[in-house]
Amino acid sequence: MSSADAVAREAAWLADYSPADGLPALLAALGGPFDVVQAYLPRTPAQRRTQLYVLRRQVREERTAHVRRIARHLFELRIVWPASSPSGSSEEPQQALDTAVEIVLQRIGGLMLDKTHGGRFLSVAENPPEVTVDFIDPEPGLRDRADLRCTVTYWADDAEING
């Protein structure tokens, strides 16, 4: 593992799905709410699609012992949600976004007694033990028939390395 592939590892966890583990799927093709779940922002994002992009906002390299260090990644999930609905309701897409965020939070929380995201990290959302969701004011997106947006941020600890 390398610190450079942390975003790809986290995107893989979010896109992964196994009915046996009890965690919800995020990709629409597997029954989840998102048409797109991917690492990094594309140059030209999809239009009128439910999208989740994994970004890394910060990395901290901390010394844990004389010859040991650990990389801590601050992940940002950027969620883009179409502000339209078949009924023309403005409340429907806002509720759908809230429902999708709840599913994302379940996926980030991971498996009972395993916060490693399938062994991809030492731990996720455990140090500090919090996940923050910031919703962007929906009024401009609703008014312009554009998109609703929110960000989800949390930390992940990589495996300790010598150095």
Side-chain angles (χ1 to χ4, degrees):
M1 275 188 272
S2 160
S3 176
D5 68 359
V7 172
R9 284 184 277 142
E10 185 63 0
W13 167 257
L14 294 170
D16 197 11
Y17 175 66
S18 170
D21 68 19
L23 292 175
L26 293 184
L27 282 168
L30 301 170
F34 294 98
D35 299 312
V36 176
V37 174
Q38 76 172 52
Y40 305 111
L41 290 171
R43 183 176 303 279
T44 54
Q47 298 295 313
R48 314 307 303 155
R49 310 295 276 167
T50 54
Q51 303 162 67
L52 184 152
Y53 299 104
V54 181
L55 307 171
R56 184 169 60 173
R57 305 307 298 159
Q58 190 177 72
V59 63
R60 290 184 190 169
E61 196 169 90
E62 297 178 11
R63 189 153 303 280
T64 58
H66 178 65
V67 295
R68 304 285 292 165
R69 54 193 169 96
I70 189 170
R72 292 201 161 108
H73 310 279
L74 178 59
F75 287 121
E76 176 184 302
L77 307 183
R78 191 165 299 172
I79 296 175
V80 180
W81 198 269
S84 61
S85 72
S87 70
S89 163
S90 66
E91 294 87 353
E92 265 181 44
Q94 291 174 80
Q95 178 60 63
L97 174 58
D98 281 345
T99 301
V101 166
E102 177 61 28
I103 294 169
V104 169
L105 293 175
Q106 290 174 32
R107 190 86 199 150
I108 292 168
L111 303 166
M112 180 69 78
L113 304 176
D114 180 7
K115 304 304 180 187
T116 67
H117 283 192
R120 291 171 177 88
F121 295 93
L122 182 63
S123 68
V124 179
E126 292 290 303
N127 184 22
E130 65 183 33
V131 178
T132 303
V133 182
D134 290 308
F135 293 91
I136 309 303
D137 181 2
E139 188 176 1
L142 293 170
R143 181 186 59 236
D144 300 337
R145 297 183 185 191
D147 296 315
L148 303 173
R149 295 174 181 267
C150 72
T151 59
V152 181
T153 54
Y154 54 96
W155 290 91
D157 290 347
D158 241 332
E160 284 188 313
I161 57 171
N162 289 326

